[in-house]
Amino acid sequence: HCLQGVRYAVEEINAKGGLLGRKVELLEFDNHSTAIQSKLAARQAVAAGVLAVVGASWSDHSLAMAPVLQAAGIPMVSPDSTNPKLTRLGDNIFRVCFTDDFQGQAMAALARQEFQAKTAVMLVSITTAYSLSLSKAFRAEFETLGGTILAELEYDHESKDFSEVIAKAKALDPDALFVPGYDESGFIVKQAQAAGLRAVQLGGDAWNGRDFFANGGQELKKGYFSANWFRDLDFPENRRFVEAYQKVYEVTEFAALSYDAFSVLANAITRAGAPDRTLIRDALAATKAFPGVAGPITFDAHGDCDKPVLILEITNGKIGVFKAVTP
C-alpha cells in the first residue's frame, strides 16, 4: 500500500510535467521486510545517487535506514514510522505521521477517562521497536493518570496462536487490554474475544490495515485504536484523493500517508528551486501547513509532524470515527 501510494503520487506529478521541469524517476529498493536489508537498501539508494527517499514503513526498518541516509546528506521522509527515536537520528529525517509517544498517551487517556479503566494488561511484541515504544508511552500515561498496569506480557509477532498469553491476561481480569502490534494483532483480538476477556480492547495505528482485519479484526465486536487517517476525513484534499485513488488501488491509511510523504517532498523540491539535497532538506524543515490528504503538515524542529490523533471505533468489524485528540 505504501509503494502504491508513492507510485500514484509520482505518476500524478509527472502527468503535470514533473518537478523543476524534469520527470521524476522513482527507484524502488526492496528491503525484504527486515532491518538488515533496509540498511542495505539505503546503501543502494546512496550508490544510485538519489535526491531523497520516501520510506520506510515499519519503525525497525526506518531506524536501520536513517543513519545511512543521514551520513550521506539525503533527506528521508517516512510515511508511517512512529518510533520517537527516528527523527532524533539526524536533521535529514522527517515523518508525516504522529509519534508513538503521542498515540500511546492518547490511548491511555481514552482508557482512563472515557472507559474509567483502573487496570490494564499490555501484550507486547518485544522484537519490534513499534510495539516496545508504544507500550512504554501507554504505560507512562496510564500510570500518570492513576491506572495500574497489571502485566506486560510478551509474545512472538510471527505466531498465530496467542492462547498462552491470552490465558494469562484473562486470569488477571483487566479493565483494558492494550495490543500495540502489527497485523498479528488481528489474531490476538479475535482470540481474546473468543476466550471471554471482558476488557475493552485497544490498539495503535497499525490496526488500521487490511491484514489486521483479515487476521481477525473483522470479527471484533468492539475495539478502539489510534489512526492518522480515515477515508471519511472532510478535507478537500482527502475527498479528491479518495475519489481518484480508489479507481486504481485500494484506499488505505498507508497509501494516504505515503501519498502525503511524496507530496510534501515534491513541494519542498519545488520550493528549493534546484535538485540540491541541502536546499531540499532546508525546504522540508521550513514546511508549514502543507495541505496533506491526512491533514495539514508542519514539521517541528525535529522533523516530526504535529497532528491530531484520530480515535477510531470498531463495531462488529466496521470502522467509524470516535473522536479526535489534538497535541
Side-chain angles (χ1 to χ4, degrees):
H1 294 292
C2 289
L3 200 48
Q4 288 171 347
V6 175
R7 286 174 182 163
Y8 183 85
V10 169
E11 287 166 9
E12 197 175 66
I13 288 279
N14 282 340
K16 295 175 183 172
L19 297 171
L20 306 178
R22 293 160 63 182
K23 292 290 176 74
V24 175
E25 182 183 359
L26 178 63
L27 304 181
E28 298 174 2
F29 300 101
D30 189 355
N31 69 2
H32 300 276
S33 292
T34 71
I36 292 171
Q37 292 288 340
S38 296
K39 190 173 186 178
L40 293 175
R43 286 176 179 163
Q44 287 177 293
V46 173
V50 302
L51 259 189
V53 169
V54 173
S57 178
W58 281 35
S59 290
D60 301 69
H61 305 160
S62 289
L63 288 166
M65 285 168 46
V68 176
L69 299 173
Q70 176 66 30
I74 296 175
M76 164 182 158
V77 185
S78 171
D80 59 331
S81 290
T82 52
N83 188 282
K85 295 176 184 172
L86 177 62
T87 51
R88 302 308 195 267
L89 293 174
D91 60 356
N92 280 288
I93 316 301
F94 300 84
R95 67 175 125 222
V96 296
C97 56
F98 48 56
T99 66
D100 290 336
D101 284 352
F102 182 40
Q103 64 169 327
Q105 289 167 5
M107 294 311 294
L110 182 81
R112 284 288 293 134
Q113 295 164 357
E114 202 77 41
F115 303 119
Q116 286 77 52
K118 295 184 175 68
T119 60
V121 166
M122 304 189 297
L123 301 189
V124 182
S125 165
I126 57 167
T127 55
T128 60
Y130 170 76
S131 193
L132 287 168
S133 68
L134 190 44
S135 59
K136 180 182 175 185
F138 181 90
R139 174 190 282 277
E141 185 70 6
F142 194 74
E143 291 177 343
T144 296
L145 294 173
T148 302
I149 301 292
L150 298 175
E152 184 170 323
L153 304 176
E154 301 169 354
Y155 69 82
D156 174 5
H157 82 277
E158 293 184 358
S159 176
K160 291 184 179 177
D161 179 6
F162 299 95
S163 53
E164 195 176 320
V165 287
I166 287 169
K168 289 178 183 174
K170 188 181 180 186
L172 292 165
D173 192 31
D175 298 326
L177 184 71
F178 187 51
V179 188
Y182 286 114
D183 304 339
E184 78 281 0
S185 302
F187 295 120
I188 294 173
V189 298
K190 177 183 175 181
Q191 291 167 29
Q193 180 173 276
L197 259 79
R198 66 168 186 88
V200 59
Q201 300 213 48
L202 308 170
D205 63 316
W207 281 24
N208 202 8
R210 181 176 61 185
D211 289 340
F212 165 80
F213 285 90
N215 289 346
Q218 82 277 5
E219 295 183 38
L220 192 57
K221 290 174 185 154
K222 188 66 76 174
Y224 301 84
F225 64 94
S226 43
N228 283 275
W229 173 91
F230 186 57
R231 65 176 297 136
D232 296 341
L233 282 176
D234 200 20
F235 303 129
E237 295 78 19
N238 187 55
R239 290 198 303 270
R240 181 194 61 77
F241 169 74
V242 170
E243 189 178 330
Y245 192 83
Q246 66 188 0
K247 294 173 184 172
V248 188
Y249 299 117
E250 180 188 358
V251 189
T252 66
E253 171 171 314
F254 308 111
L257 289 174
S258 299
Y259 179 86
D260 273 355
F262 180 79
S263 299
V264 78
L265 175 60
N267 176 263
I269 291 171
T270 301
R271 285 186 288 114
D276 178 284
R277 292 167 177 170
T278 303
L279 292 177
I280 293 166
R281 190 225 74 87
D282 292 346
L284 274 170
T287 299
K288 294 278 186 289
F290 174 79
V293 164
I297 297 168
T298 296
F299 291 121
D300 67 13
H302 298 292
D304 290 332
C305 181
D306 289 327
K307 65 196 308 181
V309 169
L310 289 172
I311 307 293
L312 299 187
E313 179 178 39
I314 300 171
T315 306
N316 297 321
K318 298 286 188 291
I319 307 175
V321 175
F322 184 67
K323 66 191 293 189
V325 181
T326 47

